């Protein structure tokens, strides 16, 4: 379905948090384009010592994951990616 003539015409620079989950109409000029990459991955880790599953943890592609002590066995891992 194509939607046209929405009454509100937001400017792309005026987009704010209030626009989250709203249907908006904007005009803009594409200056750069690339494939759409998934920015977040949902991962689970398993504690090697007790097998406890940690997660889901949301990580962005180049972010280092810092896992604290395991809530079950209180060790600091090691953890393996599930
Ligand atoms: Zn553990």
């Amino acid at each position: 379905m194509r939607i046209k003539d929405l009454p509100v015409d937001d400017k792309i620079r005026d987009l704010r948090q209030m626009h989250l989950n709203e249907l908006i109409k904007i005009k803009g000029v594409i200056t750069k384009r690339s494939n759409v990459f998934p920015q977040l991955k949902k991962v689970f880790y398993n504690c090697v010592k007790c097998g406890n599953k940690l997660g889901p943890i949301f990580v962005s592609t180049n972010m280092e994951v810092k896992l604290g002590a395991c809530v079950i066995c209180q060790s600091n891992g090691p953890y393996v990616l599930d």
Side-chain angles (χ1 to χ4, degrees):
M1 185 175 79
R2 184 171 170 176
I3 303 168
K4 49 185 284 194
D5 297 330
L6 270 181
V8 182
D9 196 352
D10 293 305
K11 292 188 180 64
I12 197 163
R13 288 182 205 286
D14 291 335
L15 289 183
R16 293 292 180 266
Q17 208 171 358
M18 58 172 273
H19 294 94
L20 278 175
N21 299 319
E22 306 270 336
L23 183 66
I24 55 167
K25 174 184 168 188
I26 53 168
K27 278 182 191 152
V29 179
I30 295 171
T31 56
K32 196 176 167 187
R33 96 190 155 87
S34 66
N35 294 326
V36 177
F37 298 109
Q39 293 287 308
L40 283 176
K41 288 180 188 164
K42 189 165 91 173
V43 294
F44 288 89
Y45 285 88
N46 287 326
C47 174
V48 169
K49 289 201 176 136
C50 72
N52 177 40
K53 185 181 270 195
L54 289 89
I57 298 161
F58 294 93
V59 293
S60 59
T61 33
N62 294 317
M63 195 174 82
E64 195 182 326
V65 180
K66 287 251 192 315
L67 296 167
C70 172
V71 290
I72 303 296
C73 68
Q74 310 300 323
S75 74
N76 276 311
Y79 302 105
V80 286
L81 195 62
D82 188 22

